[in-house]
Amino acid sequence: MTDSGTGTGTGTGTGTGTGTGTGTGAGLAGLPPTHTTSLVAFLCALGVELPVAARVAQDTMAVAGAWAGLLRKAVADADLRPWTYRIALGVLERWSGRQTTPGSALLAADRAARYRTPAGFGRLAELDTRQRRVVALAMMSSPAGEIGYELRIPAYKVHRTLRHAAKLFGVTTADALQDRLGDLRAELTTALEPVLNPPPDPGSVPAGARGARLLERAGGFGAPLPVPPWGAPVAAVPPQALSAPTPGGLREYAVALAAQDAPSRRAQRQRFPAAELAAVRLGAVWSSHVERFRQDAERSGYRNSGFDFPAVDARAFVDALAGDIERAAPLFTALAGSGTHAARQARALASGLAYDDPHTNEVAHDAIALALSLAEFRRGVLDLALRELSPRRGPESSLAEALDRAVFDATRVSVQLVSLERDLSEAESTLPDGVYVDMTRDFAAHEAYNADLIHGIEAP
């Protein structure tokens, strides 16, 4: 791990910490040239006007190209399409509310007037923003469990939205809806072809200073950090979706920092162990999704709960989570493999769902093991952050105090998870078949801790 200032100490090879890599990562270059057009179609499905959609797609691929040099092998064998959808949503949020229409080299302006949105998209007009995101991801062939992971909503709500969308298209089955959405995507792509210039090869999009500026605008962890934006769907975890952070943590530090004047804030931020704090945030986001998976699994195990979380959706959810951990884990070489261990545990959880229902104790064991490995990951990064901060801090440092508190809480969480795993093992032989037990877990407390780490390094 390195600080945000210079180095490349995350095992990222030739990519630098300022988003100025060559943009020739194998995984990004492996995307089909039509992927940029697919991004435009995805955005149009959300109700975005064509000029904005074209510019957002263009900037998205520039951001992804800038990060490709950093990610290298970490993403060479991964499906990057969901990752680029996240970046597109982040870039779109930065464009929203602007009074002027952004230009785009992708858009043939002299021919844009010929573009007409296919009539089928008119049926989606009555859907709200979240529902349109569900349908747009489904149009891109994302399974329901993965959509639930991306948007942080239960899988049954994804199915409910898709059933509503099916009625809009006059069909009754999920397969029929998928066929209609596939036809709609093809129709939209055909309609776009006459008005879009040929998109550049994704692997050859220049990064440079423009890529760095785009990274700043796209959010994520900021351009200087050698950590991929949307290594996990951070944007899908709004503060109001999480429990209130524990007083005295990083969030309290951020509130105090926001109250200072601009020069004081800049001076404080220059001392940030920024890469480590970004990694802490990633680990907390992953943990938050594991907690949600386990809560959904537990609720689905009770009869007449009305909460449906079938194994196929649970598997898609965990596959998406495992893919995120696998993409980002190689960046954290200073942690002696703890990120890689978490990736293995996530894959073990996904494999178990091929045989067991989400609410079973077998799956609970695997989920606890994953939560424990992520807790160790967070504690390791927090220790690194403290060591990185120590040489630069003054005699008193409120950030150091906040990190000390976070390390203490991380240790407490790990102890509770070890105890939970033991309790579950001892109870297994006495439980009726099909009963899921989380015997001593305080989900709210653990979620509050995750919220503190996710949002505590940002100004409110």
Side-chain angles (χ1 to χ4, degrees), residues 3 246-254 268 271-281 375 377-393 396-412 449 452-454 456-458:
D3 192 17
T246 304
L250 288 171
R251 185 63 174 167
E252 183 173 291
Y253 167 77
Q268 287 280 342
R271 303 209 309 264
F272 275 14
E276 287 76 11
L277 288 175
V280 166
R281 184 183 185 190
F377 173 83
R378 284 174 293 167
R379 184 167 63 178
V381 182
L382 287 164
D383 282 334
L384 281 177
L386 268 173
R387 292 201 295 271
E388 179 68 18
L389 181 66
S390 295
R392 293 177 289 168
R393 71 185 185 190
E396 293 182 1
S397 172
S398 55
L399 177 56
E401 294 174 1
L403 288 172
D404 277 328
R405 170 68 179 271
V407 171
F408 174 81
D409 287 340
T411 302
R412 178 171 51 83
Y449 178 58
D452 185 61
L453 298 183
I454 291 170
I457 60 175
E458 298 176 345

Side-chain angles (χ1 to χ4, degrees), residues 271-338:
R271 303 209 309 264
F272 275 14
E276 287 76 11
L277 288 175
V280 166
R281 184 183 185 190
L282 261 183
V285 170
W286 291 332
S287 296
S288 177
H289 284 290
V290 174
E291 301 308 310
R292 190 165 65 88
F293 167 82
R294 297 182 62 215
Q295 285 181 296
D296 288 354
E298 181 181 21
R299 292 172 65 185
S300 70
Y302 294 112
R303 292 186 181 91
N304 302 320
S305 67
F307 195 95
D308 192 21
F309 193 38
V312 64
D313 290 339
R315 177 69 182 268
F317 182 106
V318 176
D319 277 341
L321 171 63
D324 280 337
I325 297 175
E326 287 171 341
R327 274 194 287 272
L331 298 173
F332 306 120
T333 54
L335 295 179
S338 64

